C-alpha cells in the first residue's frame, strides 16, 4: 500500500481559467494542499465540450494523482460524438459533489423582451432570426436549446463556443441572441 499522495496531485479542469468550474477546482486545490501536505494544482485543458480534458485524465495512471473536475458537460458531450471518446459511467469514479449551480436564460442587452414569456413570443414570431450560444456541443446550454427547439418547433440557430466565457462575450456584444448559462457566469454580466 502506497502512501497517497506520493507526488503532486493534478485537478484537471476542462473549462477556461476563471470559469466557475475553474474557481471551484482552485478553491479545492488550495484546501487539499493544506490538508494533504502535498501540492495540488489545477491544469486547464479546454475544448470539444469537455471531452479533451476528460479524455486526458483517462490517459493518466489510475493512481489518484490525476482528478477530473467533472460537470454535466463531461457526462453528456461524449454522447454527441462518434466514436465516443470515453464512457462516463464506465471510465470515471465519482469522488465527491463539489457544487450545485443553477442555470439561467440570458439574452443580449438589447433583446426585444424582458420576460421569458416575451422571449418565447419573439422566438416564435421571428423564425430563423435568433441564435443561441453554448459553451460547446453537448454542454447544458446546447442541450437546453435543443430541448426548447424540439418541444416548441422553434427555428433557432446554435452557435458553439469554446466555453461559456467566450459565448458570454459575444452575447454581451450582441453577436448572438441568448444562452442558458450557470448563474455564477451570468452574474458577471
Amino acid at each position: 500500500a502506497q502512501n497517497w499522495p506520493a507526488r503532486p496531485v493534478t485537478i484537471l479542469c476542462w473549462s477556461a481559467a476563471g470559469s466557475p468550474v475553474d474557481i471551484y477546482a482552485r478553491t479545492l486545490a488550495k484546501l487539499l494542499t493544506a490538508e494533504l501536505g502535498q501540492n495540488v494544482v489545477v491544469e486547464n485543458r479546454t475544448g470539444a465540450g469537455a471531452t479533451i480534458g476528460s479524455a486526458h485524465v483517462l490517459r493518466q495512471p489510475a493512481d489518484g494523482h490525476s482528478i477530473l473536475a467533472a460537470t454535466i458537460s463531461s457526462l453528456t458531450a461524449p454522447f454527441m460524438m462518434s466514436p465516443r471518446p470515453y464512457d462516463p459511467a464506465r471510465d470515471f469514479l465519482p469522488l465527491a459533489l463539489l457544487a450545485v449551480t443553477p442555470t439561467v436564460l440570458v439574452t443580449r442587452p438589447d433583446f426585444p423582451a424582458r420576460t421569458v414569456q416575451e422571449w418565447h413570443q419573439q422566438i416564435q414570431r421571428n423564425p430563423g432570426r435568433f441564435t443561441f450560444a453554448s459553451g460547446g456541443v453537448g454542454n447544458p446550454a446546447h442541450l437546453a436549446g435543443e430541448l426548447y427547439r424540439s418541444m416548441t418547433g422553434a427555428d433557432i440557430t446554435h452557435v458553439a463556443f469554446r466555453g461559456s466565457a467566450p459565448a458570454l462575450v459575444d452575447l454581451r456584444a450582441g453577436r448572438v441572441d441568448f444562452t442558458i448559462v450557470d448563474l455564477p457566469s451570468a452574474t458577471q454580466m
Side-chain angles (χ1 to χ4, degrees):
Q2 169 185 346
N3 289 335
W4 181 88
R7 57 185 166 79
V9 174
T10 299
I11 298 175
L12 194 292
C13 181
W14 63 264
S15 65
S19 69
V21 179
D22 177 71
I23 292 168
Y24 296 141
R26 289 180 190 283
T27 301
L28 178 62
K30 183 177 178 182
L31 294 170
L32 287 175
T33 294
E35 181 70 25
L36 299 172
Q38 182 64 265
N39 284 334
V40 179
V41 297
V42 174
E43 179 182 343
N44 300 83
R45 288 191 181 233
T46 65
T51 60
I52 289 175
S54 301
H56 174 75
V57 170
L58 288 177
R59 292 189 299 272
Q60 305 309 305
D63 61 5
H65 289 87
S66 294
I67 300 170
L68 175 64
T71 65
I72 193 71
S73 294
S74 309
L75 304 175
T76 58
F79 293 100
M80 305 294 159
M81 301 173 179
S82 181
R84 274 198 299 251
Y86 56 85
D87 180 331
R90 181 194 68 219
D91 296 334
F92 292 102
L93 174 67
L95 298 176
L97 177 63
L98 184 58
V100 175
T101 57
T103 55
V104 293
L105 170 68
V106 183
T107 64
R108 61 181 158 79
D110 63 341
F111 195 84
R114 292 289 171 242
T115 67
V116 173
Q117 182 179 5
E118 291 173 357
W119 169 81
H120 174 70
Q121 290 170 350
Q122 283 293 325
I123 301 269
Q124 294 302 312
R125 288 183 191 144
N126 298 285
R129 176 177 170 202
F130 296 112
T131 56
F132 73 98
S134 80
V137 172
N139 93 340
H142 175 222
L143 296 179
E146 294 299 340
L147 178 62
Y148 173 74
R149 182 194 329 241
S150 72
M151 291 174 67
T152 64
D155 184 3
I156 52 179
T157 302
H158 174 235
V159 181
F161 288 83
R162 193 170 180 164
S164 60
L168 287 170
V169 168
D170 272 19
L171 180 73
R172 182 83 174 160
R175 291 186 282 270
V176 290
D177 298 302
F178 69 93
T179 190
I180 298 163
V181 69
D182 59 90
L183 187 59
S185 294
T187 57
Q188 297 174 18
M189 294 183 63

